[in-house]
Amino acid sequence: MQEVLSTLYTSLPYILGGCIVTVGSVTLALALGLVLGVPMAVAQVYGNKLVRFLVGVYVWFFRGTPILVLLFLLYFGIFWPLFQLSAFISSCIVLGLTSAAYQSQIFRGAIQSMPSGQLKASRALGMTDCSGISFIILPQAMRLALPGWSNEFSILLKDSALIYLLGASDIMARIHQMADSTQMHFTFSLLAGVLYFMITIVGLRLLRRFERKIYIPGYQHS
Amino acid sequence: MNETPHQAECGRENEAGMTSAADRPQGGFTDSSAGNDAGHGQQPATSARESATPALAAVNISKMLGSRLILDSVSISIGRGELKVIIGPSGAGKSTFLQSINCLIPPDTGQIFLEGRELNMHDKHDLRMFRQQVGMIFQDFNLFDHLSAVDNVSVALRKVRGMSRKDAHKRAMSELDRVGLANRAKLYPAELSGGQKQRVAFARALAMDPKVLLLDEPTSALDPELVGEVLEVIRYLAKGGMTMLMATHQMDFARALANEIIFMEQGKVIESGSPAELLAPGSNTRTMDFCSRLDLEL
């Protein structure tokens, strides 16, 4: 027991370094997903037929393909003759593009749940649809979408455990390495579980706090 | 259509978007004879209104929804400072007509004139300029739920007029003050009563300095005890000479303040005329018939 604890203790700094890689890749992926997902949601609700179709194909593709397959395709395949993306960058891109597909659907649902009178009123004031969507619809829809978005964060965090297969030095990669070298597979797997759990809890707490911060008194849609 | 003399006028004016002041049987209530709202439609036929061009004219507006004809070449013209009231049973197309005037529901055919200038409905810029000058009040308020009362009023000033945050805020506060809500400026829509919400909606529309105000049953979604405060705002605007076209079921209000009552049913204007004409005791108009049924329901 003493031995187990001391091994864990000495390997902890190394593994916590993996937490930074995991949190970093998930954060970047969520950001990429947000930047792509919101415009896609807007396009899917307000866009013309062609735009809606293209977004539909995108969403269909990324929802239908396993993340692991995409990781391998991007890392080993697509740009191979031109340049080699690092494992970390490939991971962020794949997780981000996948998350964009899911996030677009979260935001689409929120936008569609907005009463039609909101955009109507903005038009009646002479606003462009672009202003109406940016300043009236999205600020409300994003608030509605936040609980679902928090969920997407927790899912993506756990999906990110796959990126170690490319050799990114995230939590799982380092756990795997330590477990192999010490032959303490169970103990280190347990540690991995605890770390993911703690990151999830902290992340959701922060998002929850953010939700309260942007709360609007009495705000609700019937 | 064109059953009534008034309708015929509307048809005639369309080429130039003009109508002569003499065509209007009355007018001048709102600014020349303000304070006369107890007069029950007996406004003096002063009609000193010389402006030949109507503030707003809609000519032969038609709209199909599916296979149903919602609006059947409806025409209307409103002189500057006039208050015209559209009444009629639900499903008559009143709301659709008001919203088709500023193309929130684009009409299939027809022309819209603002002060004699025709609106090009397919030109987005033209449409936005038009909408800035034609305010709209909705039945269910449609306040922006994520903005406080004062921001509801100032948002269009900033995003449409390009005013600075400070100037827009100042203007918004003075508009809220006009509707008696300066002390509620920081509250969000969900914290306001229905009547207060509608008054904020008035402040929001008025901040854009509209030439015409379209009111789509502004009191229909309100509890009875809150109707008065909103009608008070409309009365105040009418006295100030605001040009307004209003769909409503408030017959006493229409009788007292309207220059003209327009009765719509099944997408058509059935009859129109002054309250004195249409609501004269013993007159056998459709309007009278409708009103008596309203009274029974109440």
Side-chain angles (χ1 to χ4, degrees):
Chain A
M1 190 64 195
Q2 191 74 48
E3 193 193 338
V4 172
L5 283 180
S6 74
T7 314
L8 275 181
Y9 185 75
T10 48
S11 62
L12 205 54
Y14 179 63
I15 287 174
L16 286 180
C19 287
I20 293 172
V21 175
T22 292
V23 170
S25 68
V26 169
T27 308
L28 287 175
L30 277 174
L32 178 62
L34 185 69
V35 167
L36 295 176
V38 171
M40 284 201 295
V42 169
Q44 222 174 8
V45 178
Y46 299 108
N48 62 27
K49 230 174 185 171
L50 177 69
V51 172
R52 289 207 307 270
F53 174 76
L54 290 176
V55 173
V57 168
Y58 179 95
V59 171
W60 168 82
F61 177 77
F62 280 95
R63 286 208 291 200
T65 316
I67 289 178
L68 195 53
V69 173
L70 292 171
L71 283 170
F72 286 157
L73 282 177
L74 182 67
Y75 187 59
F76 296 115
I78 296 174
F79 299 116
W80 175 71
L82 299 171
F83 53 89
Q84 177 74 56
L85 290 171
S86 77
F88 182 76
I89 297 293
S90 314
S91 307
C92 290
I93 291 175
V94 167
L95 291 176
L97 293 181
T98 306
S99 184
Y102 289 100
Q103 288 190 38
S104 75
Q105 297 313 294
I106 294 172
F107 290 117
R108 180 177 64 90
I111 292 171
Q112 282 174 336
S113 75
M114 295 288 303
S116 66
Q118 295 286 311
L119 194 60
K120 229 178 209 182
S122 74
R123 285 178 178 156
L125 288 164
M127 286 193 199
T128 59
D129 276 8
C130 185
S131 307
I133 291 167
S134 317
F135 303 118
I136 306 300
I137 299 297
L138 284 181
Q140 299 184 54
M142 306 271 273
R143 281 182 171 86
L144 287 179
L146 196 50
W149 198 83
S150 304
N151 207 30
E152 171 63 15
F153 152 74
S154 69
I155 292 171
L156 194 67
L157 174 68
K158 283 161 284 184
D159 283 346
S160 79
L162 289 171
I163 69 176
Y164 92 96
L165 288 164
L166 295 190
S169 56
D170 72 325
I171 296 177
M172 274 319 278
R174 296 183 190 208
I175 287 284
H176 200 69
Q177 208 176 330
M178 293 309 296
D180 261 0
S181 64
T182 60
Q183 289 302 309
M184 288 163 40
H185 287 281
F186 179 77
T187 313
F188 276 100
S189 299
L190 199 63
L191 178 62
V194 169
L195 287 176
Y196 278 108
F197 184 76
M198 277 166 41
I199 296 172
T200 311
I201 294 293
V202 171
L204 289 179
R205 276 274 172 94
L206 288 175
L207 284 167
R208 185 80 201 174
R209 186 180 291 183
F210 181 61
E211 218 172 296
R212 275 199 294 270
K213 197 177 150 110
I214 61 167
Y215 171 77
I216 282 171
Y219 178 75
Q220 57 181 17
H221 282 294
S222 50
Chain B
M1 60 153 281
N2 288 1
E3 290 161 35
T4 64
H6 240 75
Q7 281 304 296
E9 284 162 30
C10 292
R12 234 190 295 133
E13 89 207 5
N14 56 8
E15 285 111 291
M18 308 264 278
T19 187
S20 75
D23 280 353
R24 261 171 264 113
Q26 57 166 358
F29 172 72
T30 43
D31 36 24
S32 59
S33 58
N36 191 19
D37 57 327
H40 280 259
Q42 297 166 346
Q43 294 102 37
T46 47
S47 197
R49 195 169 309 283
E50 268 356 299
S51 61
T53 322
L56 181 77
V59 181
N60 293 333
I61 301 292
S62 293
K63 175 76 185 172
M64 295 274 286
L65 265 183
S67 59
R68 230 161 66 81
L69 191 57
I70 306 289
L71 294 174
D72 187 357
S73 34
V74 180
S75 298
I76 259 178
S77 85
I78 312 160
R80 197 162 300 148
E82 282 188 321
L83 167 61
K84 293 203 176 182
V85 165
I86 305 176
I87 61 165
S90 54
K94 308 182 294 285
S95 185
T96 310
F97 178 60
L98 284 173
Q99 297 195 38
S100 68
I101 289 178
N102 63 1
C103 288
L104 290 177
I105 300 175
D108 297 333
T109 57
Q111 296 163 288
I112 310 283
F113 297 90
L114 182 66
E115 297 185 332
R117 213 178 76 61
E118 184 175 358
L119 163 69
N120 178 357
M121 297 177 198
H122 304 293
D123 179 342
K124 282 187 177 173
H125 180 257
D126 203 37
L127 191 54
R128 282 202 302 277
M129 296 310 287
F130 176 88
R131 284 171 175 167
Q132 287 178 42
Q133 300 171 68
V134 177
M136 180 109 204
I137 301 292
F138 298 91
Q139 182 176 348
D140 43 6
F141 330 124
N142 288 340
L143 289 186
F144 304 132
D145 293 323
H146 64 304
L147 298 176
S148 63
V150 63
D151 289 339
N152 259 281
V153 182
S154 68
V155 67
L157 294 173
R158 288 171 53 207
K159 304 302 177 194
V160 179
R161 286 283 168 78
M163 283 169 78
S164 72
R165 185 181 288 269
K166 201 175 138 218
D167 291 346
H169 186 267
K170 214 171 135 195
R171 176 71 203 268
M173 284 308 294
S174 78
E175 289 300 335
L176 282 180
D177 195 36
R178 261 170 86 181
V179 296
L181 288 175
N183 57 347
R184 297 279 191 278
K186 289 212 175 80
L187 296 187
Y188 287 90
E191 299 171 305
L192 298 170
S193 73
Q196 290 169 339
K197 280 187 216 179
Q198 194 60 297
R199 282 150 69 197
V200 173
F202 270 97
R204 180 173 72 176
L206 292 172
M208 300 298 286
D209 296 313
K211 291 175 173 153
V212 180
L213 215 48
L214 306 172
L215 304 100
D216 184 7
E217 301 199 24
T219 58
S220 294
L222 297 175
D223 292 334
E225 75 270 21
L226 302 176
V227 168
E229 63 187 83
V230 171
L231 290 182
E232 193 52 50
V233 172
I234 303 171
R235 193 173 289 131
Y236 161 81
L237 289 173
K239 285 180 186 169
M242 175 60 77
T243 309
M244 290 184 280
L245 180 60
M246 165 166 154
T248 189
H249 292 293
Q250 299 290 327
M251 286 315 301
D252 290 335
F253 183 80
R255 192 196 303 258
L257 278 184
N259 297 95
E260 186 179 62
I261 291 178
I262 296 150
F263 183 78
M264 275 182 79
E265 193 164 34
Q266 294 185 328
K268 285 184 194 157
V269 173
I270 304 293
E271 60 190 14
S272 60
S274 68
E277 283 163 38
L278 292 185
L279 298 172
S283 68
N284 199 15
T285 59
R286 294 290 296 276
T287 312
M288 199 63 186
D289 181 49
F290 175 70
C291 292
S292 61
R293 270 185 286 133
L294 268 189
D295 287 339
L296 279 182
E297 281 160 25
L298 293 171

